[in-house]
Amino acid sequence: MLIFITVLMLNVWAISADDILSPKINILEELRKIKTMETIMKSLETEMERLRTENKEQEKNIRELREEMNKKNEEISNLTLSQVELRKENRDREIAFSAALRESGDGYVGPFNTEITLTYKKVITNIGNAYNPITGVFAAPLKGAYMFRISIYGHAPNTAGAAIYKNGERMVIAYDIQAQDRENSSNGVVLILEVGDVVYVRLWANTRIFDNQNNHSTFSGYLLFPLREQEICRM
C-alpha cells in the first residue's frame, strides 16, 4: 500500500494545474491506469507475502534438517565409540593357546615316583599370552568359560597317564595301558574360571609319555565366552 501511495503522489505531482484543466487530460483514463497499478501492486504484495511464508517454511525445514544431521552425527559418533569399545572388548576376549611337550628332538618324560607338573615348551599358539611355557601353567586373565584339552602318547609296557588340574584340584584324566606297541589317550573339560585361576597338567606317578616333532603330547585351551557375576551365580 505504501508503494501505491508513493506512485499515486508521483503521478499527481507530475500533472500540473493547467494539465488538469486541459481537455487533453482524460481523468477516467488516468484513474483506470492508477487502478490497474493498484491491482498490480496488490498482486506483487500477495506474491511477496507468499514468498515470505515459503521462505519461513524453508528456514524451518533447514533447521529441522540441521537438527536431524546433528542427531545423526551424534549417533555416528556414539557408534564409533561403541565400535572402539567393542574392538577392545573383543581383543580382551581373544584367549587361546596350544603347546607341545618338546621344543625339539624326541624323548620321554617320566616315570617318577610322584606326580609332576608338565611344562609344554613348544608353543604353537598363545593368543593373549595367558599360558606360560616355563611353568606350564595357564592363568585366566578374564572370568569366563574355558575349554581345555590334553593328548598323551607313549609306548608299552609303561603306562601313560596325565590329568588336568584347576587350582590344585584334579578335573579329568587321560590314561592308557597296553601290553605292547603304542599308547595314546586324550580328554577335555569345560571349566568356569575366575580371574587368576590356574590350570595345568600333571604327569601321573610311575607313568611316562613320549613326544617328538610330530607333537603327540599336547595341552590346549581357549576362552569359550566371558561370564558376568550373575551368570556364574545361576550355575
Side-chain angles (χ1 to χ4, degrees):
M1 184 57 69
L2 180 61
I3 298 173
F4 167 71
I5 293 171
T6 302
V7 172
L8 180 60
M9 291 178 67
L10 289 172
N11 278 276
V12 171
W13 291 338
I15 302 172
S16 64
D18 293 337
D19 290 336
I20 293 173
L21 297 175
S22 173
K24 296 179 180 179
I25 300 299
N26 188 334
I27 299 298
L28 294 176
E29 180 64 22
E30 293 299 323
L31 288 174
R32 188 187 64 78
K33 292 179 179 179
I34 291 171
K35 187 67 176 177
T36 301
M37 291 181 65
E38 181 181 3
T39 302
I40 293 172
M41 295 304 298
K42 285 183 178 180
S43 298
L44 290 173
E45 288 177 357
T46 301
E47 180 64 17
M48 288 179 65
E49 186 61 30
R50 187 189 67 78
L51 290 173
R52 288 192 194 97
T53 302
E54 184 177 320
N55 187 50
K56 287 180 180 179
E57 291 177 354
Q58 289 179 349
E59 288 177 353
K60 180 183 177 182
N61 291 337
I62 290 171
R63 283 196 303 270
E64 291 175 351
L65 285 172
R66 285 175 178 168
E67 291 175 359
E68 186 67 22
M69 286 179 64
N70 289 336
K71 288 181 182 179
K72 293 298 181 184
N73 288 335
E74 185 176 354
E75 290 175 1
I76 291 171
S77 178
N78 292 335
L79 181 61
T80 302
L81 290 174
S82 298
Q83 288 175 334
V84 171
E85 292 172 358
L86 183 60
R87 289 193 190 102
K88 183 180 182 301
E89 185 177 346
N90 286 336
R91 283 197 299 271
D92 293 338
R93 295 178 180 180
E94 293 172 352
I95 303 166
F97 78 94
S98 190
L101 201 59
R102 300 182 65 90
E103 283 186 297
S104 61
D106 56 63
Y108 293 94
V109 177
F112 304 101
N113 56 9
T114 60
E115 288 188 356
I116 66 161
T117 299
L118 292 170
T119 54
Y120 294 83
K121 297 179 180 179
K122 184 179 180 180
V123 176
I124 301 169
T125 304
N126 196 10
I127 300 170
N129 295 313
Y131 172 72
N132 187 334
I134 297 174
T135 62
V137 175
F138 172 87
L142 186 69
K143 181 187 302 182
Y146 292 79
M147 176 70 193
F148 294 94
R149 191 165 192 84
I150 57 171
S151 63
I152 60 172
Y153 182 85
H155 296 101
N158 292 85
T159 303
I164 296 176
Y165 280 76
K166 169 191 171 184
N167 297 335
E169 181 182 359
R170 184 186 298 155
M171 297 288 104
V172 295
I173 66 170
Y175 184 87
D176 192 22
I177 180 171
Q178 300 290 336
Q180 59 183 9
D181 207 2
R182 292 177 289 273
E183 302 164 329
N184 60 79
S185 180
S186 64
N187 208 342
V189 62
V190 174
L191 299 176
I192 304 301
L193 302 182
E194 296 281 348
V195 175
D197 283 349
V198 294
V199 178
Y200 47 91
V201 180
R202 290 178 69 82
L203 181 71
W204 273 34
N206 302 313
T207 67
R208 72 175 185 177
I209 57 177
F210 176 84
D211 203 8
N212 58 21
Q213 71 275 9
N214 294 320
N215 305 324
H216 295 287
S217 298
T218 59
F219 177 33
S220 302
Y222 54 91
L223 174 67
L224 292 172
F225 48 85
L227 290 173
R228 294 184 291 273
E229 189 65 36
Q230 59 269 28
E231 291 174 327
I232 294 179
C233 292
R234 290 200 301 266
M235 295 180 179

